[in-house]
Amino acid sequence: MEQQVNERIAKHLQKPLPIKQLIVGILLELVPISEQHIVEMQVWLEFVSYKLRSGEPTEDSILRGIHKVFAYLQQENLLKEEIVVQDEIDHLHAFIDGLALHVLMGFVAMDKKRLYCLIEKEIDKIIKA
């Protein structure tokens, strides 16, 4: 799963889009927005569950990606002044994980436009207008 997601994210990075659209598009890749995404997420959850049950350490690639997003936003001075970066990283990580899980479980509709809007609202809370 991780390789496919990374490939899709790399395609986003090649697009000349405004930063907010770019970030929302990247984060949208972490949420199941198609049948292929659902299968990838199911495989990923099985993998993580196995590692947790066996006591093996797991690396959270979603968290790593969110750290990269924030590092870029900080470097470009695009974050709102009043935010606490680590709190916002934790919040966005929990939001994306929760959203992905809720889509997978059928609690939130797999509607790309709606999911884009939900993620965009979160990004609007952290970046300068």
Side-chain angles (χ1 to χ4, degrees):
M1 172 196 153
E2 191 171 342
Q3 181 180 352
Q4 292 92 337
V5 171
N6 287 334
E7 288 171 4
R8 289 194 299 265
I9 288 172
K11 288 180 184 176
H12 282 282
L13 293 172
Q14 295 172 359
K15 298 175 184 176
L17 295 172
I19 191 64
K20 183 169 83 171
Q21 284 181 300
L22 181 65
I23 290 171
V24 173
I26 288 170
L27 293 173
L28 194 59
E29 291 297 339
L30 306 175
V31 178
I33 56 172
S34 71
E35 292 301 322
Q36 177 186 346
H37 285 77
I38 286 176
V39 170
E40 291 171 1
M41 176 144 293
Q42 288 170 333
V43 169
W44 176 250
L45 286 174
E46 285 297 322
F47 174 72
V48 170
S49 294
Y50 168 79
K51 290 192 90 149
L52 288 171
R53 286 190 308 275
S54 66
E56 293 181 45
T58 58
E59 183 178 333
D60 191 338
S61 54
I62 292 175
L63 180 57
R64 191 174 63 239
I66 290 172
H67 272 284
K68 287 180 183 178
V69 166
F70 273 84
Y72 175 79
L73 291 172
Q74 277 185 300
Q75 176 185 334
E76 298 297 317
N77 195 29
L78 296 171
L79 291 173
K80 291 181 178 177
E81 299 295 327
E82 68 274 9
I83 72 164
V84 177
V85 173
Q86 189 57 51
D87 289 351
E88 294 302 328
I89 288 171
D90 293 341
H91 173 85
L92 188 59
H93 181 223
F95 175 77
I96 294 295
D97 273 354
L99 186 59
L101 189 56
H102 281 203
V103 170
L104 188 63
M105 295 184 329
F107 298 154
V108 175
M110 188 176 53
D111 176 338
K112 186 175 179 177
K113 185 176 180 180
R114 180 166 183 252
L115 294 171
Y116 185 98
C117 289
L118 290 172
I119 294 170
E120 185 177 43
K121 283 182 183 181
E122 293 302 311
I123 296 305
D124 284 340
K125 294 176 185 177
I126 61 169
I127 63 172
K128 295 177 182 175

